[in-house]
Amino acid sequence: MLGTRDYLQLIQIKVAGNLKAESSRDYLGYLWWLIEPVFKMLAYYFVFGMLLSRGTEDYVAFLMTGLIPWLWFAQTVSRSSMSIVSGKALMMQVYIPKIILPTIVICQDAVKQIIIFFSLLLFLYFYGISPSPHWLSLPVLASTQLVVIMACSYFVASIVPFMNDFNYIVSTGLQLMFFCSGVFYSLDIIPPRFQQLLILNPMASLLYNYRRALIYHQWPDWSDLCLITLGSLLAVLVMWRVIKRLDHIYPRVIL
């Protein structure tokens, strides 16, 4: 029977192995971790900043500080949705708590995001936005987002093994959240009567606070971050218990 230390070591080994394998598949290797968000940023800037003339003088920085955290959220949740199903081979070799499978995906993407965030700070510096003490809040913002990602990832991962079609709902839901998160526009343009609905979308608040700290040299709204963190931690605890209860059912459903 494996213990907690063994499971943590398994996560570490799988994350390191997956990252190495992912980089070896591409000619540019680890550089693709940086190139992908840049390409997506350029596409959105072309559409919204040039064709639709929605941009401002700092629109590139505005877009980068919204798009990079959003891509972390969307890609991790999307990949986590199939994590238990994709872990079929590992299930056949050894018993592991099934919550480890989405956790591997979450940790793998979190490691990549550390490098991307450092690159974002370098970009902002060379773009002309001077560093400030408010940048020190970035680890807090990233930690809050990580808890949100864990809650959403565990939720979708727990359902997909029983209903593969739910993956399409996840894709549509992420697209809806994308347009409601203010990735390429300021939340100030939303009518006040609709802004209250943003409480249902933690990513909208997170992107707003990323920009406060990184672009506008203001401290994040700590009360918002506390509420998001507490709510997400509660959701993580609930999903952990749900997946634990279904632990011995998943192999029968998948295999």
Side-chain angles (χ1 to χ4, degrees):
M1 184 73 175
L2 298 178
T4 302
R5 180 176 297 181
D6 298 310
Y7 292 135
L8 292 176
Q9 188 175 18
L10 173 62
I11 293 174
Q12 182 180 358
I13 293 172
K14 289 291 292 181
V15 167
N18 290 347
L19 289 173
K20 185 176 180 179
E22 183 178 335
S23 65
S24 64
R25 286 195 300 266
D26 300 317
Y27 182 75
L28 294 179
Y30 297 109
L31 284 177
W32 276 113
W33 299 357
L34 304 177
I35 293 173
E36 182 182 8
V38 170
F39 279 172
K40 291 190 176 183
M41 181 275 296
L42 290 175
Y44 288 116
Y45 176 68
F46 177 72
V47 174
F48 295 100
M50 298 177 65
L51 294 183
L52 300 180
S53 299
R54 300 293 296 179
T56 63
E57 58 179 351
D58 292 328
Y59 190 65
V60 176
F62 180 89
L63 189 58
M64 285 288 281
T65 51
L67 188 61
I68 285 178
W70 170 260
L71 288 176
W72 177 25
F73 171 81
Q75 291 175 352
T76 303
V77 172
S78 179
R79 296 200 314 115
S80 296
S81 65
M82 293 297 295
S83 58
I84 295 179
V85 175
S86 301
K88 177 171 60 175
L90 186 58
M91 290 183 203
M92 295 176 65
Q93 297 175 20
V94 62
Y95 167 76
I96 58 170
K98 306 310 174 289
I99 200 166
I100 285 180
L101 298 171
T103 301
I104 291 173
V105 176
I106 294 168
C107 292
Q108 180 178 332
D109 286 353
V111 171
K112 294 164 59 176
Q113 194 64 26
I114 293 173
I115 300 173
I116 294 173
F117 272 139
F118 274 115
S119 301
L120 173 61
L121 295 180
L122 284 175
F123 165 81
L124 293 176
Y125 174 75
F126 288 109
Y127 185 76
I129 297 178
S130 58
S132 73
H134 306 91
W135 284 19
L136 296 175
S137 62
L138 180 58
V140 179
L141 289 163
S143 299
T144 301
Q145 183 175 349
L146 179 60
V147 181
V148 173
I149 289 172
M150 290 173 64
C152 296
S153 296
Y154 290 152
F155 173 71
V156 297
S158 69
I159 296 178
V160 168
F162 297 100
M163 187 171 59
N164 284 335
D165 290 346
F166 186 73
N167 221 14
Y168 298 109
I169 299 177
V170 172
S171 178
T172 303
L174 287 173
Q175 188 174 29
L176 178 62
M177 284 186 68
F178 170 78
F179 287 109
C180 294
S181 295
V183 174
F184 52 83
Y185 62 87
S186 173
L187 298 179
D188 296 334
I189 69 174
I190 298 177
R193 65 180 183 277
F194 294 122
Q195 288 188 5
Q196 299 298 323
L197 297 176
L198 294 179
I199 195 174
L200 302 176
N201 180 7
M203 285 304 299
S205 178
L206 279 170
L207 298 191
Y208 171 76
N209 282 292
Y210 272 115
R211 286 165 174 152
R212 280 174 61 99
L214 300 182
I215 300 179
Y216 304 121
H217 301 316
Q218 300 175 23
W219 292 111
D221 188 325
W222 300 115
S223 60
D224 276 0
L225 295 186
C226 287
L227 288 174
I228 292 172
T229 301
L230 291 175
S232 298
L233 284 174
L234 178 60
V236 168
L237 178 61
V238 170
M239 294 316 306
W240 177 80
R241 293 181 65 87
V242 168
I243 295 176
K244 183 178 180 181
R245 183 176 291 262
L246 298 172
D247 194 84
H248 296 286
I249 299 178
Y250 285 126
R252 297 200 297 268
V253 173
I254 297 171
L255 304 179

